[in-house]
Amino acid sequence: MSNPLVRKLMLSLGAPILALFVAFALTSLVLMALGDPVRDVWITMLSTPKPRMITNVVNGAIVLYLSAIAVAVGFKMNLFNIGVDGQYRVGSFAAAVFAGQAWLPGILNILVAIIVAMVAGGLWASIAAYLKVQRGVSEVISTIMLNAIATGLVSWLLLKVAVRTAGSNAIGTKVIPESSQLEGWKLIPGASNRVYSLLILAVIVGFLYWFVLSKTRFGFDLRATGSSETAAVASGVKVKRMVMTSMILSGALAGLVGMPLLFGQDHSYGTTFQAGLGFAGIGIALLGRNHPVGIAFAALLWSYLDTQANGLQIRAGVAPELVYIIQGIILFAVVIAYEGTRRLDIRLEQQRVARELAAQRTARQTEGAVA
Amino acid sequence: MAVEVEGITKRFPGVVANKDITFAVRRGTVHALCGENGAGKSTLMKILYGVQRQDEGTIKVDGQEVNLHSPSDAIKVGIGMVFQHFMLADNLTVLENVVLGAEKLHGIGSGAKNEIKRISQEFGLGINPDAMVADLGVGARQRVEILKVLYRGAKILILDEPTAVLVPQEVDELFDNLRELKAEGLTVIFISHKLDEVLSVADDITVIRRGTTVASVDPKDVNARQLAELMVGSELPTPETSESTVTDQVVLSLRDITMAGTEGRDLLHDIDLDIHAGEIVGIAGVEGNGQAELVEVIMGMREPSAGTVMLEDTDISDWEVREIREAGIGYIPEDRHRHGLLLDAPLWENRILGHQTERPNVKGQLIDAKSAKADTERIVKEYDVRTPSIFVTAASLSGGNQQKLIVGREMTHAKKVLIASHPTRGVDVGAQAAIWDLMRQARHDGLGVLLISADLEELIGLSDTIRVILRGKLTGTFDPDTVTSQDLGAAMTGADTPHDDIPHPTDPQDVR
């Protein structure tokens, strides 16, 4: 492990792989304890998905990716934005209402609706940001509460604007015009269904996230604040403004979470709109270590588990909710493993630095002796 | 001997907190450990109380070597700790606070109450077990803390800066309590940097400086000035400056700077200070007398209640930290880990820190990684930062090399003024000499330098003028060519004030 690059790679890949094995082992134990068919469960979970299912995995991952990036922006600042769930609800609803009016034609309608979603999500997050900056309210508490309020508020507003779908109890916003519906791309060979067109949105967001954080002044300030608030203050970062900006940014990105669903699948916001995406995003951001590529893999894994679990009831006679146990254990294991490897990494580096400096000294002394 | 400590060494990444600490505490005595803040007292305490493990060395209690892995190990061998910040629940009674976590000893009912009464009576603590902690004053709370420790069977009490929170009358009462404890055969380890208190209550004194024990003295043989000298040291390599480069051009000027404190006393009071180009102004003072606040006001990190700060002809009182840094004031912070570095980030990113808007670090809104890296290489070479590369994290360097990186970074951007707060604290002797050279270089280059240090030799050797800060006021001006460490030590502690055994916080005016 003398090569620092090799060391970094092994440490960063080792931890999640270890976490997967731990999850595998512990879940098996749980299944055995309950007398469930361990073998059948794993055969189902690990079977090669059909092309149609692969499309579902990718589509699920797109949405989860956006959610996790929104959370990761907060994490980089040491802010725990638990409120992505409420922010994406508010954002999706606002965008659905706007797009449903069909004030603008085709693609333009989509683009402006996306901006509407970001503004709505950002505004919703700004409440928590304001409370933190001005009143010192922990963002964890305020965003959890705002999630509850968002659920109620959106349901209430939905009743006001709702259009009842014929022959169903479900209600939803007005369906967006056909010209603004995205039919998706045939990316997976042999699949009858299509990958969301807004895959492109996830790619752009991922790239911008990486670019802004690692290449710009703003990103440097944000990372510095997250890594040491005291050092950031001394370096001239206005921490309050930074908290405000990054929280709103996180909320604006959260507003994007529902967009692939809205334009690629549901075409309206209603009672059946997918819930709980914000909470999954927290886990995926952790698993992907806030890294844009790491999060992509984590989102795919998450979505894969979600999709594969659907077959559990039929093929193994086990409730698909089992997947929550697996995901939960992965998270626990990975958080512990990351902290472990972080410490190991620091220690290894210190040893290496000490060793190399000692070698330099000896080299200089021998040189001196020769001269 | 109640406690014998031998050869204790504790290293943290980048610093050696304790180095070969050796001392012995006699049973039935009050033993004072004194040293400046940052000298390594708190690390030592944590080791004695089992919060941290020493890397080397042994601790013996009553002649038996002990291995302390946790505070419960410490209490088992009879070592108890009274923290500076009380750990009491306000909304519980004294009884409830005392039994909390020690329910197994005497239960939580009348047995416990009787035991508390017995202890209170035996040591003259005057504690009523049924009183609400919320109703108690600071002195009484401290006695509850002491009682808590005694209740758990401690025979050796460690008190961490116990007088810091007390008014003088309460200090007297505390000292009476300590004498009572001593008379009953208990042993007290008393940690403080207040010299007069140490001299009045201790039977033995051990002085710690730069992480190591430098002397064990009998309080009868020393006075406050000699003790101050031991604390700040005088046999280190001397930091002499060459001929004066002071000009008559004022670069930084503070007028009437006042900062209100929370408890009635100003943290800073009517500070007037001028720094000229080519001049090093040293600030001497016992830590906690307003040095940190003074620096934070100049750097724009805290707002004073009144007063102005002028950089040459510009009023910078209302400027933000970033504007002040951009204007050419370099800043070497007192606590490099908290304020000077991002420990997890590579050296080249640390080179950007504090100068995120200045070249060569950025181009417009973008980070110019290439130039920043190249300039980090230059700093590493010019300032002799010992590191295998600029891509290792700051945490992996030794304290001295971290500091040289900070000094290099700040000197690169300091065009007019350099604020250096304890620039050689926690660095080895070699790096210390190098940093002194750099300070001299800054002075030679025509910068105005504000040097804050607890090391009097450093102040006397480097400064062109020395000001003393005491309780938020600049109380004296000394010429480093003629002043001695004794004079400074006396002025710093207020020990040159007539009849001043215990400094009175409400009347600090008659110094000098």
Side-chain angles (χ1 to χ4, degrees):
Chain A
M1 290 236 243
S2 55
N3 186 332
L5 220 91
V6 173
R7 189 192 71 206
K8 273 245 149 39
L9 201 70
M10 288 196 47
L11 284 178
S12 51
L13 286 182
I17 289 170
L18 185 75
L20 286 181
F21 273 105
V22 171
F24 182 79
L26 287 182
T27 311
S28 299
L29 282 179
V30 170
L31 288 170
M32 271 189 260
L34 295 176
D36 281 322
V38 182
R39 210 171 138 264
D40 289 350
V41 167
W42 290 122
I43 287 177
T44 312
M45 289 301 292
L46 301 176
S47 62
T48 320
K50 295 195 176 66
R52 195 175 59 79
M53 298 308 269
I54 295 179
T55 311
N56 288 347
V57 169
V58 173
N59 280 344
I62 291 171
V63 179
L64 291 172
Y65 184 78
L66 289 168
S67 169
I69 291 284
V71 176
V73 169
F75 276 163
K76 278 281 180 188
M77 252 294 283
N78 245 342
L79 281 176
F80 287 78
N81 182 6
I82 312 293
V84 170
D85 218 64
Q87 290 145 16
Y88 96 79
R89 238 174 245 274
V90 172
S92 305
F93 176 75
V97 170
F98 175 85
Q101 300 304 317
W103 284 323
L104 298 165
I107 298 289
L108 197 60
N109 194 21
I110 298 175
L111 291 178
V112 177
I114 286 176
I115 291 167
V116 168
M118 291 183 78
V119 170
L123 278 177
W124 196 249
S126 73
I127 302 173
Y130 176 84
L131 287 173
K132 181 169 178 77
V133 169
Q134 294 299 329
R135 290 283 173 269
V137 180
S138 160
E139 76 281 5
V140 176
I141 307 296
S142 60
T143 51
I144 287 177
M145 293 189 162
L146 283 166
N147 280 345
I149 297 173
T151 311
L153 182 72
V154 170
S155 308
W156 178 68
L157 287 175
L158 189 59
L159 280 177
K160 300 248 160 207
V161 300
V163 189
R164 192 166 290 277
T165 324
S168 155
N169 281 330
I171 55 166
T173 54
K174 202 188 277 180
V175 174
I176 54 178
E178 220 156 293
S179 66
S180 297
Q181 296 177 5
L182 295 166
E183 61 172 341
W185 293 320
K186 273 196 169 307
L187 285 185
I188 311 293
S192 55
N193 52 357
R194 293 162 182 252
V195 172
Y196 297 147
S197 306
L198 287 182
L199 167 65
I200 189 109
L201 185 68
V203 173
I204 293 171
V205 165
F207 173 79
L208 284 178
Y209 171 83
W210 167 81
F211 182 80
V212 169
L213 277 182
S214 54
K215 299 289 167 193
T216 66
R217 255 165 63 176
F218 170 78
F220 186 92
D221 283 356
L222 190 144
R223 283 185 294 128
T225 314
S227 142
S228 166
E229 192 176 312
T230 45
V233 170
S235 83
V237 175
K238 290 176 201 157
V239 169
K240 282 188 173 182
R241 183 181 295 179
M242 210 65 207
V243 168
M244 202 79 198
T245 318
S246 51
M247 194 74 190
I248 291 174
L249 193 63
S250 178
L253 290 174
L256 296 177
V257 171
M259 295 305 99
L261 295 172
L262 180 64
F263 292 103
Q265 178 182 303
D266 294 358
H267 307 310
S268 76
Y269 183 96
T271 40
T272 54
F273 205 78
Q274 197 176 344
L277 291 169
F279 293 112
I282 298 170
I284 294 162
L286 273 175
L287 185 59
R289 278 187 149 168
N290 303 327
H291 189 280
V293 177
I295 291 176
F297 281 112
L300 280 167
L301 173 70
W302 220 251
S303 179
Y304 171 82
L305 291 174
D306 280 340
T307 311
Q308 294 290 81
N310 287 333
L312 279 179
Q313 188 74 64
I314 302 162
R315 292 165 66 179
V318 175
E321 281 74 16
L322 178 72
V323 75
Y324 298 137
I325 297 183
I326 302 177
Q327 290 171 339
I329 297 173
I330 291 178
L331 270 190
F332 259 112
V334 92
V335 168
I336 295 166
Y338 282 163
E339 183 57 23
T341 50
R342 195 183 66 86
R343 291 183 196 173
L344 186 66
D345 193 31
I346 293 174
R347 215 171 43 238
L348 287 174
E349 186 175 70
Q350 276 166 353
Q351 283 167 3
R352 186 173 66 91
V353 168
R355 210 168 41 240
E356 285 183 24
L357 287 178
Q360 275 178 19
R361 245 194 315 278
T362 358
R364 220 174 306 146
Q365 275 161 5
T366 21
E367 248 168 61
V370 170
Chain B
M1 287 295 160
V3 183
E4 287 163 273
V5 170
E6 211 174 295
I8 292 275
T9 297
K10 175 78 188 171
R11 297 182 198 86
F12 293 112
V15 277
V16 180
N18 282 167
K19 189 175 61 196
D20 203 18
I21 295 236
T22 301
F23 66 95
V25 183
R26 294 180 292 142
R27 191 195 318 279
T29 59
V30 175
H31 190 111
L33 283 177
C34 60
E36 281 286 326
N37 285 344
K41 289 173 301 184
S42 55
T43 307
L44 177 61
M45 251 162 20
K46 284 180 189 158
I47 292 170
L48 281 177
Y49 193 52
V51 178
Q52 278 168 349
R53 279 281 285 165
Q54 70 269 28
D55 295 327
E56 289 163 26
T58 57
I59 301 167
K60 284 184 189 166
V61 175
D62 296 329
Q64 291 275 323
E65 187 170 335
V66 292
N67 268 314
L68 306 175
H69 292 282
S70 71
S72 53
D73 287 350
I75 198 79
K76 258 182 224 147
V77 300
I79 299 179
M81 175 100 160
V82 176
F83 290 94
Q84 184 177 352
H85 302 287
F86 303 147
M87 303 191 173
L88 297 172
D90 269 0
N91 50 352
L92 299 182
T93 64
V94 169
L95 171 71
E96 288 162 338
N97 266 289
V98 171
V99 299
L100 191 64
E103 297 85 353
K104 283 186 189 151
L105 291 176
H106 305 279
I108 57 170
S110 57
K113 194 179 282 183
N114 289 336
E115 178 67 11
I116 292 172
K117 283 183 183 153
R118 188 189 67 73
I119 296 172
S120 171
Q121 202 143 33
E122 186 176 348
F123 299 102
L125 296 175
I127 298 281
N128 169 15
D130 295 318
M132 287 295 283
V133 167
D135 301 333
L136 298 181
V138 177
R141 282 175 197 226
Q142 191 168 50
R143 292 198 296 277
V144 174
E145 285 280 10
I146 293 174
L147 196 145
K148 247 168 84 177
V149 173
L150 294 172
Y151 185 86
R152 285 157 173 75
K155 298 278 176 271
I156 300 154
L157 277 77
I158 307 175
L159 279 78
D160 178 18
E161 304 268 355
T163 59
V165 289
L166 302 179
V167 301
Q169 299 90 307
E170 289 173 324
V171 171
D172 288 340
E173 284 171 24
L174 172 69
F175 287 179
D176 288 340
N177 292 143
L178 295 187
R179 291 188 189 102
E180 198 89 35
L181 294 172
K182 186 168 89 173
E184 298 287 334
L186 297 185
T187 309
V188 176
I189 300 177
F190 176 89
I191 292 155
S192 180
H193 62 238
K194 294 188 181 160
L195 307 176
D196 307 299
E197 296 177 357
V198 166
L199 286 171
S200 79
V201 74
D203 298 301
D204 300 289
I205 300 173
T206 297
V207 180
I208 298 181
R209 182 187 349 129
R210 286 182 170 267
T212 191
T213 38
V214 290
S216 282
V217 293
D218 188 323
K220 287 192 279 298
D221 301 340
V222 292
N223 58 29
R225 294 169 191 204
Q226 288 165 325
L227 207 51
E229 222 189 336
L230 281 172
M231 265 166 63
V232 292
S234 51
E235 82 285 25
L236 295 159
T238 44
E240 296 289 327
T241 45
S242 47
E243 78 282 9
S244 172
T245 55
V246 181
T247 62
D248 55 4
Q249 183 203 350
V250 176
V251 283
L252 188 75
S253 139
L254 276 61
R255 285 286 169 273
D256 308 324
I257 293 288
T258 294
M259 185 190 280
T262 43
E263 278 144 37
R265 180 148 61 104
D266 287 344
L267 293 170
L268 292 175
H269 189 82
D270 271 345
I271 301 269
D272 285 323
L273 183 66
D274 282 332
I275 301 172
H276 300 85
E279 181 188 35
I280 298 182
V281 176
I283 302 280
V286 173
E287 224 151 308
N289 275 280
Q291 296 95 318
E293 288 79 8
L294 179 64
V295 169
E296 285 173 356
V297 164
I298 297 174
M299 292 313 300
M301 290 158 70
R302 288 179 75 168
E303 284 302 313
S305 335
T308 51
V309 182
M310 302 282 286
L311 178 67
E312 290 178 335
D313 299 325
T314 322
D315 185 345
I316 61 167
S317 314
D318 296 330
W319 286 20
E320 300 283 348
V321 180
R322 185 155 284 169
E323 295 169 297
I324 292 171
R325 279 178 168 266
E326 285 166 353
I329 300 188
Y331 173 39
I332 300 169
E334 168 181 350
D335 185 338
R336 60 179 163 269
H337 287 178
R338 274 170 59 78
H339 293 116
L341 294 169
L342 301 174
L343 289 171
D344 297 336
L347 299 190
W348 72 269
E349 287 196 352
N350 273 289
R351 188 257 168 276
I352 298 175
L353 188 73
H355 307 280
Q356 292 102 307
T357 53
E358 296 164 68
R359 293 185 79 81
N361 298 331
V362 290
K363 266 188 196 152
Q365 286 295 319
L366 298 185
I367 297 280
D368 186 351
K370 206 170 142 215
S371 309
K373 283 173 190 165
D375 199 60
T376 312
E377 297 279 11
R378 177 191 64 81
I379 290 174
V380 164
K381 204 171 291 162
E382 275 181 28
Y383 293 84
D384 191 30
V385 183
R386 308 272 167 86
T387 173
S389 90
I390 60 166
F391 298 102
V392 300
T393 57
S396 59
L397 296 193
S398 73
N401 284 310
Q402 290 175 345
Q403 192 73 341
K404 282 190 276 184
L405 179 75
I406 294 178
V407 172
R409 175 182 79 195
E410 297 307 320
M411 301 263 287
T412 305
H413 292 276
K415 292 183 281 287
K416 292 168 186 159
V417 176
L418 183 65
I419 311 287
S421 209
H422 303 279
T424 63
R425 167 175 292 169
V427 308
D428 55 274
V429 178
Q432 186 182 34
I435 290 167
W436 284 338
D437 275 338
L438 295 170
M439 298 275 130
R440 277 181 219 118
Q441 186 61 42
R443 170 178 177 265
H444 179 79
D445 294 345
L447 263 60
V449 180
L450 183 68
L451 172 66
I452 287 155
S453 178
D455 183 337
L456 296 188
E457 287 300 313
E458 174 172 289
L459 282 174
I460 293 173
L462 287 177
S463 306
D464 296 295
T465 315
I466 297 180
R467 308 291 301 269
V468 170
I469 193 165
L470 181 65
R471 299 185 194 106
K473 293 176 192 177
L474 289 179
T475 54
T477 306
F478 293 89
D479 180 349
D481 290 338
T482 54
V483 76
T484 62
S485 318
Q486 284 89 333
D487 297 339
L488 277 183
M492 280 160 58
T493 51
D496 59 348
T497 316
H499 55 80
D500 193 16
D501 282 346
I502 293 160
H504 198 281
T506 52
D507 184 26
Q509 194 44 46
D510 48 351
V511 185
R512 165 96 200 275

